[in-house]
Amino acid sequence: MIGISIHDGHRERLKNRFLKHGLDSFEEHEALELLLFYALPRRDTNALAHELLARFGSLRNVFDADPADLSRISGIGESAAALIKLQSELARKYWLKDREAQSALSSVRAAVDYAGLLFRGKTKEEFYIVCLDSRFRIRHTELLARGSATEVPVYVRQIMEVVVRTGAETILLAHNHPGGSAQPSQKDIALTRQAALAMDTVSVSLLDHIIIGEKNAFSFSEKASVPKSAPGSPCEAEYSGSPRREPPPDKADE
């Protein structure tokens, strides 16, 4: 005789409810429970969903948690932790592609918004280079380095390698300070100046260096901390505005 789990009927009802009506009517624990079905077919995922929310405080915090921390919850193995992280990474990729297709990064605010998406849910420092065309449209975004919760090692030669490989005309640098202030460190300032001078040697403009903190953002361009490329440069004339002062779309600090 084929055994049938007492949870099978509940799972089927929850799945059908989602297919018919989406997640709008779901509580956070129900949405998480439904997701866990696909990694833990024979477990009581309702209890696990409640435990995850109690441990991390919210659905967003569960998705932003480190896989190692997720796996410490009894019953959440490697597969379930990977599935949970996959959801947040897929969502981040979706919103990044949507933002890239919408408009150019022609203002500090637009650059801060885009950088915030890059660092959504990140708990360790990461450093990105964004390659732009002459109209500030995004042509290529690349992760240069991933570090610890307090620092990330990056070298000008890494930036130059990407510029030469992609043929970028303008670049934007961005990194995060997870859980801290966006205020730049002395290393951040030195790297920004070195990068700007290096870009001058190949006639490439460093548009800005954005730092995303936990509750604020910092723009080197807005603070006049990026050495000017050429007098009257299009970048200087067209890139303007002030970053938002409320928390950007994600965490950060060096």
Side-chain angles (χ1 to χ4, degrees), residues 3 14 26 31 37-38 75 112 117 135 143 145 209 228 254:
L14 204 60
F26 278 56
F37 287 171
Y38 299 98
V112 167
L117 288 172
R135 296 183 180 181
L143 175 66
H209 181 178
K228 302 286 188 295
E254 183 189 294

Side-chain angles (χ1 to χ4, degrees), residues 36 53 56:
L36 291 172
L53 290 170
F56 295 102

Side-chain angles (χ1 to χ4, degrees), residues 147-196:
S148 66
T150 56
E151 69 175 337
V152 57
V154 177
Y155 304 96
V156 173
R157 61 175 170 75
Q158 294 172 275
I159 298 170
M160 186 68 82
E161 285 169 5
V162 176
V163 167
V164 172
R165 171 161 44 86
T166 61
E169 299 176 59
T170 301
I171 63 167
L172 173 79
L173 301 178
H175 80 279
N176 61 331
H177 288 175
S181 168
Q183 195 65 24
S185 67
Q186 288 304 310
K187 287 182 179 179
D188 294 336
I189 295 169
L191 175 65
T192 304
R193 289 178 176 164
Q194 291 165 13

Side-chain angles (χ1 to χ4, degrees), residues 97-231:
K97 290 302 178 184
D98 183 65
R99 181 64 184 81
E100 288 172 11
Q102 281 182 32
S103 59
L105 302 186
S106 55
S107 69
V108 174
R109 176 167 184 165
V112 167
D113 285 347
Y114 182 71
L117 288 172
L118 287 173
F119 303 115
R120 183 181 294 278
K122 300 299 182 177
T123 57
K124 293 186 173 146
E125 283 207 20
E126 295 185 349
F127 198 106
Y128 278 86
I129 178 172
V130 184
C131 300
L132 312 167
D133 64 14
S134 59
R135 296 183 180 181
F136 307 138
R137 293 175 299 193
I138 299 168
R139 294 307 184 207
H140 177 73
T141 300
E142 185 169 325
L143 175 66
L144 285 183
R146 180 178 288 116
S148 66
T150 56
E151 69 175 337
V152 57
V154 177
Y155 304 96
V156 173
R157 61 175 170 75
Q158 294 172 275
I159 298 170
M160 186 68 82
E161 285 169 5
V162 176
V163 167
V164 172
R165 171 161 44 86
T166 61
E169 299 176 59
T170 301
I171 63 167
L172 173 79
L173 301 178
H175 80 279
N176 61 331
H177 288 175
S181 168
Q183 195 65 24
S185 67
Q186 288 304 310
K187 287 182 179 179
D188 294 336
I189 295 169
L191 175 65
T192 304
R193 289 178 176 164
Q194 291 165 13
L197 294 174
M199 292 307 100
D200 258 357
T201 66
V202 290
S203 300
V204 170
S205 297
L206 172 57
L207 186 66
D208 205 342
H209 181 178
I210 299 291
I211 302 176
I212 299 294
E214 184 176 25
K215 294 185 177 179
N216 61 349
F218 182 91
S219 159
F220 275 84
S221 178
E222 197 235 356
K223 298 297 183 183
S225 302
V226 176
K228 302 286 188 295
S229 295

